Amino acid sequence: MRKTFLMALMVLAATAANAQSVGDLFSAKAMDYLKTVPYGVNRTSLYSADELYAGYDPSNEETFKTCYDTKVYKHFIETGKQAQTAEESLARAIHDHCIHVALDEFFKQHNSRLCLGIMGGHALLRTDPMYKKVVLLSKRLTEQGFIMLSGGGPGAMEATHLGAWMAGRTEKDVDAAIEILKVAPSFKDKGWLATSFEVMRRFPRQGDYVSLGIPTYLYGHEPSAPFATHIAKFFENSIREDLILTVAFGGIIYTPGSAGTMQEIFQDAVQNHYLSFGYASPMIFLGTDFWTKEMPVYPFLQDLIKLGKYKNLQLTLTDDFDVIANELVKFRDSDPNK
C-alpha cells in the first residue's frame, strides 16, 4: 500500500511542478537529485530536537547557521517556497509523505483521543505572565495523561512543550527554568535556542511524558521548539495547518493570539460542525477578557450557534485551570475506547 501511495504522490508532484511527463519524474536526473538535497527524503521517523539541530552547539551561536535545520531552511528558500522544479517538488512531497507515515506510527503507540492542542501567538514573550500560565496548564494536563500538541514554534507553542517537558517536576523547577529562558524573551533574541538547551540540560525529562510539535519550513525563520519530544516538520504548510487541527482529537485550547489563531479557530469549528471525524471535540478559550473584548470571537461563535449557522460546537470560556481540566477529562472519559 505504501509503495502504491508513494507512486501516486510522485505523479502528483510531477504534475504540480509542470513536469513534461511522468517519465521525466523517473529520469536519472530526478533520481540523482533526491540524493543531493540536504534533508532526508525517505524518513522512517519523526524528528527529535537533537536530530533537527544536529551540528548546533549551544555554547557557540554561530553553529546555528550550519546546523541541519538551518541548512534545510536555506535550501527551501533558495529553491523557492513553492518548488520551482519537478525534482525539488518530488523530494519535498516524499519527505512530507514519510512524515505522515511516521505520524501514523506515533499514534499507533499513543491514543489520539488524548492528543490536546494549545494554539496561541508565536510572539508571546517568555516574560509575559501568559507564558507561565500556558506552561503550567500544559504541565498539569500532561501529568493527567494527555499528549500536548502545538504548531511547534516559539511563543505559546514553545510554552506548551516546555510544560510537557517539565511534567513530574515542581512549580519551583518551572520558575527556575523560565528564569533561564528570560535571558532571551523573544525568538528573535540572541540566546533563545541556547537557553532552551540549557533548560533541557538542567532539567532532564522525567518518565515517559511526550509532546508533539508540528512546525513548517514556511515559517522556518522561527526556530522549532526543542522541548517537543516528537517533531513532525513539514514543507507544505497547508497540509500541516490542517493536520494540527485534525490530530487534536482530545480538544483544543485557544490562548490569546492574532491572525493565525483566528484562522485555526474557524478551521476547527468547521471540522466540529460537520463531525468530520465522527465527533466534535472541545473548543476551550483561555482568557475571558481577550476573547470577549479584545478579540470578541467567543460571543460571535455563540451568536452563530443561536442562528443555527454552527452546530455541535462544545465551547468553554474561562480563566480557571480547573474548569479546563474538568472539561477535557469529561470528554476523554466519554470515549468508550479510551
Side-chain angles (χ1 to χ4, degrees):
M1 178 181 289
R2 180 174 177 178
K3 286 184 178 179
T4 302
F5 183 80
L6 190 55
M7 291 286 284
L9 192 63
M10 288 178 175
V11 174
L12 288 173
T15 302
N18 297 315
Q20 294 299 310
S21 69
V22 174
D24 292 345
L25 194 60
F26 298 96
S27 66
K29 178 184 175 183
M31 295 302 101
D32 288 342
Y33 184 84
L34 298 182
K35 301 174 185 177
T36 66
V37 295
Y39 50 91
V41 173
N42 191 27
R43 293 194 55 80
T44 58
S45 65
L46 298 177
Y47 290 102
S48 66
D50 287 341
E51 184 178 11
L52 203 60
Y53 290 112
Y56 171 68
D57 179 357
S59 67
N60 182 359
E61 283 291 316
E62 289 299 307
T63 57
F64 176 72
K65 298 177 182 178
T66 56
C67 74
Y68 172 86
D69 197 49
T70 302
K71 287 179 181 177
V72 176
Y73 178 59
K74 286 180 178 178
H75 175 83
F76 174 72
I77 296 300
E78 290 168 358
T79 54
K81 292 183 178 180
Q82 293 294 321
Q84 299 301 304
T85 66
E87 292 84 5
E88 179 62 25
S89 181
L90 171 63
R92 294 181 190 181
I94 297 175
H95 170 277
D96 284 4
H97 166 66
C98 290
I99 293 293
H100 267 292
V101 173
L103 202 54
D104 288 342
E105 291 300 315
F106 176 85
F107 283 115
K108 287 179 182 178
Q109 300 173 36
H110 304 281
N111 185 349
S112 61
R113 180 84 171 209
L114 301 179
C115 193
L116 298 179
I118 292 187
M119 307 300 165
H122 67 127
L124 181 68
L125 299 178
R126 291 165 163 178
T127 51
D128 192 304
M130 180 57 72
Y131 183 91
K132 181 179 177 180
K133 286 184 180 180
V134 176
V135 172
L136 291 176
L137 176 59
S138 178
K139 175 179 179 295
R140 174 174 174 173
L141 293 171
T142 301
E143 291 167 346
Q144 289 184 273
F146 291 103
I147 301 165
M148 304 311 297
L149 160 76
S150 89
M157 294 175 282
E158 181 197 41
T160 299
H161 298 295
L162 174 59
W165 184 272
M166 298 300 288
R169 293 188 175 275
T170 65
E171 186 170 342
K172 183 179 179 180
D173 286 341
V174 171
D175 289 337
I178 293 177
E179 281 302 311
I180 294 171
L181 298 175
K182 282 182 178 180
V183 172
S186 167
F187 70 90
K188 298 177 183 179
D189 296 328
K190 182 179 179 180
W192 185 90
L193 189 59
T195 53
S196 298
F197 277 97
E198 173 63 13
V199 166
M200 295 166 73
R201 185 187 69 80
R202 290 269 299 275
F203 301 98
R205 182 167 63 102
Q206 302 292 290
D208 57 358
Y209 296 117
V210 299
S211 70
L212 174 64
I214 308 183
T216 173
Y217 281 107
L218 182 65
Y219 303 134
H221 60 286
E222 300 176 3
S224 300
F227 297 113
T229 58
H230 296 74
I231 303 172
K233 193 158 189 176
F234 286 89
F235 287 107
E236 190 59 56
N237 185 54
S238 59
I239 295 174
R240 168 256 187 183
E241 285 279 2
D242 184 71
L243 191 63
I244 293 171
L245 301 171
T246 297
V247 301
F249 291 109
I252 295 179
I253 301 163
Y254 293 98
T255 68
S258 56
T261 307
M262 290 283 286
Q263 174 184 325
E264 289 158 351
I265 290 169
F266 289 99
Q267 280 185 260
D268 188 28
V270 170
Q271 289 186 359
N272 286 322
H273 171 80
Y274 287 112
L275 301 178
S276 299
F277 302 98
Y279 56 86
S281 302
M283 298 176 67
I284 299 176
F285 294 79
L286 174 62
T288 303
D289 285 345
F290 183 86
W291 292 117
T292 59
K293 297 176 183 178
E294 188 172 343
M295 193 81 78
V297 176
Y298 194 83
F300 179 61
L301 288 173
Q302 287 183 310
D303 288 343
L304 291 176
I305 291 171
K306 291 176 183 176
L307 291 171
K309 302 300 182 181
Y310 274 128
K311 298 178 181 178
N312 305 315
L313 303 193
Q314 299 182 42
L315 305 180
T316 301
L317 174 67
T318 185
D319 295 297
D320 189 330
F321 285 5
D322 288 337
V323 171
I324 294 174
N326 289 340
E327 286 296 317
L328 293 171
V329 168
K330 181 172 66 175
F331 177 72
R332 178 194 68 189
D333 292 348
S334 69
D335 178 16
N337 299 312
K338 67 178 184 300

